[in-house]
Each structure stands twice: as C-alpha cells, then as structure tokens.
Amino acid sequence: MTVATARAHPNIALVKYWGKADAASNLPATGSLSMTLDIFPTTTTVRIVDRDLDRVVFNGAEREGTVRDRVVRFLDHVRLLAGREDRAEVITENTVPSAAGLASSASGFAALAQAASTAYGLALDDRSLSRLARRGSGSAARSVIPRFAVWHAGSDEQSFAEPVQAPPIEMVIATVDAREKAVSSRDAMQRTAMTSPFYPAWVTSTAQTLESALEACRSGDLERLGRITETNALRMHAAIQGSDPSIRYLTPRSWAIFDAVAQLRGEGVLAWATADAGPNVCVISPPEHTAAVAERIGALADVVIARPGPGVRLQETDA
Ligand code: DP6
C-alpha cells in the first residue's frame, strides 16, 4: 500500500503523564490512565510520493518550521522501521475547535502512526502502534486505544497503552479560555522536572496513584476513581506551579469550575474535575448525572459532552 488514511480522537488523562524518563524515545516517568473521547477526530492521509522532501498539510495549509520538523522526525522513525527511504505527503484534517483547547497532538500522532505505518507497508499490532504513536507525542500512545487506556512506564518495549475496563463515565468539557497557551506542555514538563522541588514527589505519588486508580477500575468504584482523578490533576498543577519561573495554567475561571464541581458533590451529584496544561476544565460523572453537571457548568463556560470513544482506525482514502 502506498496511501493510507486513519482517524483518531483526543483523550483526557484521569491519572496524568507529566515528565519523561527518556526524551529521545519519549518514555514517561510514570504510567497514566485516560479516556479516549468520541468527539473532535483528527483524520490523516499519508501518501508515498516521488519527491525529495516530505510535505505536511494541516487543515488545508502547508506547514513549515517546527510543526513540519516534528512530523518529518516521526516519518524518519517509520522509515527506519520499514527500511524505506521514500518521502511522503501528510494531509491532516483536525476537527478540534481551537476554542476547545484540547491537545491535538494525541489524536494527531495516533492517526499519523496508523496512516504512516500502513502506507510504508508495516503491519503493526496494537502494542507496536501505541509505542510508535508515543514517539510522536506521549499522550498519543493512549489515543490508539478505545474507551479507557493505561499507558505503562518502562523500557521502549514495555511503554505502550492498552485497554482497561472502567466504570461508566461521561465528560463535560468546559472551555474557559480559547487563547494559545503561554508555555507548551512539552516545555513546561521539562521545566517542572528541572526546577520544581515538588517533581520527585509528583513522580513517586503518581506511580502509587495509578495503582489505586487501576484498583478502582477493577472494582468498578466510580467514587474512588473520581477522587483520584481530581486529586491527581491538582497535584500535577501544584508541581507545575512549583517551577522556576513558575507556570500557572489554571485561571480564576478554572477555579470557579472546580468550586462548582465541589458544590455539586455537596448536593449529591457525582462529579470530579480535571485539567490539562491549560485553563480548560473537564468534569467526569456517571451518565445519569451528566445533564446536571452540564447545566451547572454551562452557566460558567461553554460546554460540550464527550463519551468514551473509538481507538485509531484505518479509513477509506478519498481519491
Ligand atoms: C497535561 O503528550 O502533549 O495533557 O510527549 O511531550 O508530546 P509530549 O507531551 P504531551 O503531554 C500531555 C500532558 C497532559 C497530561 C496527559 O495527557 O497525560
């Protein structure tokens, strides 16, 4: 095959990945746990072409510079695995509204891993595909997997994501601020590891937290998983804030949503909040409580509801 198209969705971590054990192979310092969403897919076509250079087109515009460099480096790794040298054209359509502030690198590199490996003639199993996506962006390892995924820390061979069973959960995504974030997650992660005195505690506590979260998943204990999710996110933000110079992603509006979620819990609604490297807040709840959460949070921010979604999939290629 010389052309392949794949589609993947973003994921939101319930136990976060924040820090690398090895930057070259993109190995995480700790394992993490996530929900793959059913909204905002990224669709990527990779076509082997008779050219001297790779071409990268993102939402209809040809890209140069760092975005292209990151894709080319990724393709170089695929070519190494495939023993090939030919160049490729990469065409990506991303439906994540930039206003939603969701990381597109997870869905982007999951779709690229599937499309590129197929176009270059590699037939990777799910583990190898997840390991490959990880090299593009750590969180992309998890977007290969449908619904809920655990991504393992460890060596290159050990560090892939795989499915886990979880209690029924939906997610209300609240857009607090659509502006581009001030410090990219990649840079902030590095600064946290280099300068935050809380980073070692983050790493040791998160390794334990992941074990508890997996136990909560196994026993179907939604309330335990919810508490773990919110605490783990706040610990990540505490470690980030401890950096020098300090980085603060959560804004007063983000905190207002955390407060509203705590208030909902006080009223008997099961809901817990999390936030990635930005001000937007995602609230998990059992399906029967999602409407109440969306209504309350909808008064504070634009909201959209996401459910557990599919893993990466090959698609028919148009033309
Ligand atoms: C806060 O996966 O974007 O969303 O591996 O450097 O590309 P790189 O980082 P990335 O970081 C995601 C950070 C996070 C937490 C998470 O998704 O687990």
Side-chain angles (χ1 to χ4, degrees):
M1 196 171 305
T2 57
V3 57
T5 300
R7 179 168 298 159
H9 292 73
N11 71 77
I12 299 291
L14 309 180
V15 176
K16 306 290 188 193
Y17 148 56
W18 194 261
K20 298 176 201 275
D22 179 71
S25 322
N26 214 23
L27 299 173
T30 58
S32 54
L33 172 73
S34 62
M35 178 176 124
T36 301
L37 311 186
D38 66 339
I39 54 173
F40 305 146
T42 299
T43 308
T44 295
T45 297
V46 174
R47 181 178 273 107
I48 310 296
V49 288
D50 188 16
R51 288 167 51 104
D52 295 336
L53 291 174
D54 295 312
R55 182 163 178 257
V56 176
V57 178
F58 184 84
N59 284 354
E62 179 140 10
R63 302 297 290 260
E64 303 285 345
T66 50
V67 172
R68 182 179 171 282
D69 292 349
R70 196 163 162 187
V71 171
V72 171
R73 261 203 314 281
F74 186 82
L75 291 173
D76 285 341
H77 186 74
V78 175
R79 284 187 278 254
L80 187 74
L81 294 176
R84 303 262 301 256
E85 288 189 347
D86 14 14
R87 301 289 119 181
E89 179 179 74
V90 175
I91 298 186
T92 292
E93 292 297 329
N94 190 15
T95 61
V96 182
S98 50
L102 289 176
S104 56
S105 65
S107 52
F109 279 101
L112 181 61
Q114 175 75 80
S117 60
T118 306
Y120 278 101
L122 294 165
L124 301 181
D125 59 20
D126 286 354
R127 285 184 179 189
S128 303
L129 191 61
S130 175
R131 287 171 51 218
L132 174 61
R134 183 199 80 218
R135 287 180 175 266
S137 185
S139 50
R142 301 184 309 236
S143 272
V144 167
I145 307 301
R147 299 180 59 80
F148 297 92
V150 57
W151 168 29
H152 304 288
S155 65
D156 174 39
E157 286 74 28
Q158 294 164 329
S159 188
F160 54 84
E162 61 182 339
V164 293
Q165 295 291 332
I169 289 174
E170 294 182 343
M171 200 175 270
V172 173
I173 297 167
T175 305
V176 170
D177 189 340
R179 276 174 306 186
E180 185 103 342
K181 53 190 162 195
V183 188
S184 76
S185 50
R186 196 159 268 200
D187 293 347
M189 214 182 261
Q190 200 183 359
R191 194 188 298 174
T192 307
M194 303 292 287
T195 68
S196 176
F198 309 139
Y199 181 71
W202 158 256
V203 171
T204 47
S205 68
T206 298
Q208 288 159 7
T209 299
L210 180 63
E211 288 312 310
S212 307
L214 292 173
E215 242 172 67
C217 283
R218 273 192 295 275
S219 60
D221 190 339
L222 171 70
E223 294 194 35
R224 185 170 177 209
L225 182 62
R227 272 200 315 277
I228 288 172
T229 296
E230 192 169 303
T231 302
N232 180 257
L234 293 176
R235 285 179 178 170
M236 179 186 78
H237 284 276
I240 293 171
Q241 277 179 226
S243 302
D244 180 16
S246 182
I247 302 163
R248 216 159 33 113
Y249 284 121
L250 300 175
T251 66
R253 291 188 67 207
S254 316
W255 289 116
I257 295 172
F258 274 84
D259 287 347
V261 168
Q263 197 175 25
L264 279 165
R265 283 198 298 269
E267 296 164 17
V269 176
L270 297 179
W272 297 270
T274 183
D276 282 342
N280 298 327
V281 180
C282 299
V283 184
I284 60 167
S285 60
E288 62 274 20
H289 291 179
T290 307
V293 174
E295 198 190 324
R296 183 73 58 90
I297 305 303
L300 301 169
D302 287 341
V303 295
V304 51
I305 294 171
R307 300 188 170 82
V312 68
R313 282 192 199 148
L314 283 169
Q315 311 282 307
E316 295 280 319
T317 302
D318 301 332

